[in-house]
Amino acid sequence: MRELDNLCANCFKELTEGAVCAECGYDNDTTVEFTYLAPKTMLADKYAVGAFQRHESDAAVYAGYDGQLDKKIIIREFYPKGMASRLEGNKELHIRQRYLGEIETYKKAFFDLWTTLEKMHSLSAVVPVYDVFEENGTVYAIIEHIESIPLREYLLRNAEGYIAWDTARLMFMPVLTTIEALHANGFIHGSITPDSLVLCRDGKVRLSPFCIQQSTDFSSDLEFTANDGYSALEQYDNNHKICPATDIYSFAACIYRALVGTNPPSALAREANDKLMIPNSIAEKIPMHVIKAMGSALQIYPEKRVKTVAEFRELLDAAPSVKAQASGVSSVTYQPQPKPQAQDPVRYDYAKLAEPEHNHTGSRIAITVLAVLIILAIGAGIYIVKFTDLLKPVEEPSTSAQVQQVTYQVPNFANNGYTQSDIENNGAWNKQFSISFDADYSTDVEEGIICKQSIAAGETVEEGTQIVLTVSKGIQTEEVPDVGGLSVEEATEKLEEMGFKVSTVEVYNDGSHSANTVKNAFGTAPAEGAVVAVGEEIILQVYGEYVATTEATTAATTEDTED
């Protein structure tokens, strides 16, 4: 293994101009939070941890170096966001008490996912996985580093703004094979977007990254961030379940993005109004069988969608002319399409895409609309091979300029279930900010958990900035007092001063009670002495006006007369 001291922690090339790497521009003096592994930390005696890159729902991601193969790698550390932390000077993860019950389930899911991907190295759309092992009380996946750009970035850099179906088909069909293999092994990707589909220098489109399925909807304790336009309806908080059709929806939405040049509407918005606006100039270029395939894949409700990848592939491959053409193609030359002219867009009804074709000119034009969309999206993959300058990273500002003031991004203290102890034991946060604590009642957050922060998460502040964190005292409660015999005005005033809401109900007065006074026994609901949350409603039983009656006298007189 090479000596690591003089290697850049990001690209692992020799440092020749001080701390700032001349090759990639990374500043090796960058401060790393203690919650993450320090650069040059060794794993399994052969993998060196490099620069921290990002923290996803289930994992921290680092650049890395394989000392045996002498090459850059990617390291994924099972590190469920908001559920675990790492104390200063400690490599082992510290699991927060409230999550000890679930953490082993998530950890096993992470291990199973990456060991399965390790066995799928022969699939062209999978980024190769070298190794999966346990260490530091967690799990690590070692992944090949491949230079690539996300589909979204490629499309933004493409002068035409879209790609053609003939090219797209050759690029993306291998991805379907990978998704199908995942489903066969019981895994749902759950986050297929133009950012997770990456175009590589070898001309292949690969699917990355992968997170465990428990992080792909709102139902678990793991953080889930919806990708509007690409997340299927069932990934939001509803009664529909994640299934293979979830990935099919997301993949079809990526094709839409590539062919049309805009993100599809959110699934939630489409549930209320299932229409998509597609320019005529694009719709006219999509083969009819692709339109129908997309119609089946982009149905809002999972039970109405095409159910399997195999079925979706058959629908995309349905035209005999397409099959014959594909069998004889050895290479594809990208031909830029003219930019769409401003036209009245077609309002496209996806709910009707899967219906049988009718012999109506109008409906054929409407159906043609979506097909052109999708066919243009998948075609420019080989084009990227010939124009590899698109893969060159966007130049970033020089890091050599001296920074006069260190700044940090404020973490999300209030929505991750942290306790005061969690914050106080985090050395990095206490060095970056001046943190103090307050306490207040909360109807939404359980006692002992941080419920508010004085500076919003995500804001950038100077080192040492004062941040006040409010610790929840739980729901404020009060004991219902005895207000029997008080006037309704007195009782109401007393209860409202304690924070209760008050309503009244009139009860019968036999003449022995003053009107508009509270019933002496059991005069409130809940009853006196009950412990009730402040803000709840207390019902007062109030005596009404006494009304005299002559019914008894009349009855007696009648009886005397009859005698």
Side-chain angles (χ1 to χ4, degrees):
M1 177 184 290
R2 287 193 294 162
E3 178 58 47
L4 298 176
D5 289 343
N6 200 42
L7 296 184
C8 172
N10 183 59
C11 69
F12 291 91
K13 299 292 179 65
E14 293 285 343
L15 292 173
T16 59
E17 299 179 4
V20 177
C21 179
E23 186 73 23
C24 69
Y26 178 75
D27 185 352
N28 285 266
D29 286 338
T30 300
T31 302
V32 178
E33 290 190 25
F34 297 125
T35 49
Y36 302 111
L37 292 174
K40 313 298 171 67
T41 298
M42 296 302 299
L43 298 173
D45 296 324
K46 56 182 176 180
Y47 306 119
V49 174
F52 168 76
Q53 294 183 340
R54 61 188 180 276
H55 198 162
E56 297 175 357
S57 176
D58 67 345
V61 184
Y62 307 86
Y65 172 70
D66 185 329
Q68 292 184 351
L69 298 179
D70 189 23
K71 63 187 300 185
K72 183 178 178 180
I73 55 174
I74 300 296
I75 300 174
R76 287 184 71 90
E77 176 185 45
F78 174 66
Y79 192 155
K81 203 170 186 180
M83 301 174 72
S85 59
R86 180 177 275 116
L87 303 182
E88 186 174 355
N90 197 331
K91 293 180 184 179
E92 294 217 353
L93 284 184
H94 168 68
I95 307 302
R96 294 172 51 215
Q97 186 70 31
R98 62 185 297 186
Y99 297 116
L100 289 176
E102 306 112 284
I103 205 72
E104 285 303 316
T105 299
Y106 297 152
K107 181 177 172 182
K108 183 179 184 303
F110 185 92
F111 184 87
D112 291 346
L113 170 63
W114 288 99
T115 51
T116 299
L117 292 171
E118 185 180 13
K119 298 171 185 175
M120 297 169 67
H121 62 274
S122 61
L123 294 174
S124 63
V126 172
V127 177
V129 179
Y130 292 154
D131 198 1
V132 183
F133 57 92
E134 294 191 49
E135 194 172 324
N136 300 330
T138 188
V139 179
Y140 295 91
I142 307 301
I143 306 160
E144 181 178 342
H145 170 74
I146 298 178
E147 289 191 28
S148 63
I149 62 169
L151 172 64
R152 186 187 304 279
E153 184 177 343
Y154 166 72
L155 293 170
L156 290 174
R157 294 184 181 192
N158 192 309
E160 302 302 325
Y162 59 85
I163 53 179
W165 170 246
D166 287 343
T167 307
R169 181 179 175 279
L170 297 178
M171 289 172 59
F172 287 87
M173 281 308 205
V175 181
L176 282 177
T177 301
T178 295
I179 297 172
E180 185 176 29
L182 277 175
H183 294 172
N185 282 277
F187 295 104
I188 307 295
H189 187 284
S191 187
I192 301 175
T193 70
D195 296 307
S196 63
L197 287 171
V198 296
L199 281 67
C200 307
R201 284 191 179 277
D202 59 6
K204 295 177 180 178
V205 177
R206 289 183 168 89
L207 188 56
S208 180
F210 289 84
C211 292
I212 60 175
Q213 186 173 327
Q214 288 91 333
S215 66
T216 60
D217 64 29
F218 282 108
S219 65
S220 79
D221 289 318
L222 284 169
E223 180 183 88
F224 168 68
T225 302
N227 294 293
D228 284 344
Y230 304 95
S231 294
L233 184 69
E234 58 270 23
Q235 294 180 268
Y236 295 88
D237 190 13
N238 53 52
N239 293 326
H240 300 282
K241 301 298 182 184
I242 299 289
C243 60
T246 303
D247 283 341
I248 294 172
Y249 181 95
S250 299
F251 187 73
C254 290
I255 298 176
Y256 175 98
R257 167 66 180 88
L259 296 178
V260 181
T262 60
N263 294 323
S266 162
L268 293 177
R270 290 188 58 214
E271 186 180 25
N273 180 19
D274 191 11
K275 304 291 182 183
L276 288 176
M277 305 299 288
I278 304 169
N280 287 327
S281 58
I282 293 178
E284 292 169 354
K285 300 171 185 176
I286 304 176
M288 186 63 64
H289 70 278
V290 176
I291 294 178
K292 289 185 174 291
M294 296 307 299
S296 295
L298 286 170
Q299 294 293 310
I300 288 294
Y301 299 108
E303 59 269 21
K304 293 185 177 181
R305 260 176 249 147
V306 59
K307 298 296 188 294
T308 67
V309 171
E311 293 176 44
F312 185 41
R313 183 190 294 107
E314 287 181 7
L315 291 174
L316 288 173
D317 235 359
S321 60
V322 173
K323 290 183 179 179
Q325 205 173 33
S327 64
V329 172
S330 57
S331 64
V332 174
T333 301
Y334 177 80
Q335 297 294 332
Q337 301 294 320
K339 275 191 175 180
Q341 300 298 313
Q343 298 185 28
D344 293 333
V346 174
R347 185 174 292 276
Y348 202 82
D349 189 346
Y350 271 77
K352 296 182 179 180
L353 279 176
E355 296 178 0
E357 182 179 353
H358 299 288
N359 293 323
H360 299 293
T361 302
S363 63
R364 287 182 62 86
I365 292 175
I367 292 176
T368 302
V369 172
L370 189 128
V372 163
L373 282 185
I374 303 166
I375 301 181
L376 288 177
I378 304 182
I382 310 300
Y383 172 73
I384 193 172
V385 181
K386 294 188 176 183
F387 295 85
T388 54
D389 57 329
L390 288 176
L391 284 167
K392 294 179 181 177
V394 179
E395 290 187 7
E396 297 185 3
S398 172
T399 57
S400 60
Q402 291 191 356
V403 178
Q404 296 182 349
Q405 179 63 53
V406 178
T407 60
Y408 295 98
Q409 189 175 72
V410 177
N412 191 343
F413 294 112
N415 292 306
N416 283 316
Y418 293 124
T419 64
Q420 181 171 338
S421 177
D422 291 333
I423 306 301
E424 289 175 336
N425 289 328
N426 190 301
W429 288 339
N430 286 279
K431 286 188 176 182
Q432 294 166 2
F433 315 103
S434 176
I435 299 176
S436 60
F437 298 89
D438 197 356
D440 199 1
Y441 293 103
S442 172
T443 58
D444 302 315
V445 180
E446 67 184 85
E447 185 177 358
I449 304 300
I450 306 299
C451 60
K452 297 177 186 175
Q453 57 191 83
S454 60
I455 299 179
E459 288 194 19
T460 300
V461 299
E462 294 181 355
E463 184 178 33
T465 296
Q466 174 75 25
I467 299 178
V468 179
L469 302 181
T470 302
V471 182
S472 171
K473 294 165 64 176
I475 298 175
Q476 183 180 4
T477 59
E478 293 284 356
E479 185 174 300
V480 179
D482 182 6
V483 293
L486 298 180
S487 70
V488 65
E489 293 80 11
E490 292 172 331
T492 298
E493 181 179 2
K494 184 173 184 177
L495 291 168
E496 287 182 343
E497 284 179 352
M498 298 175 68
F500 296 116
K501 298 176 182 177
V502 180
S503 63
T504 61
V505 59
E506 186 173 300
V507 295
Y508 172 70
N509 186 352
D510 63 3
S512 62
H513 307 283
S514 299
N516 294 318
T517 59
V518 179
K519 187 178 177 183
N520 286 314
F522 305 105
T524 62
E528 64 180 89
V531 177
V532 179
V534 170
E536 286 193 15
E537 182 181 44
I538 305 296
I539 301 174
L540 298 178
Q541 298 188 71
V542 181
Y543 290 118
E545 295 287 343
Y546 170 68
V547 179
T549 176
T550 59
E551 289 181 2
T553 303
T554 302
T557 303
T558 303
E559 289 177 358
D560 291 341
T561 303
E562 290 176 347
D563 289 340

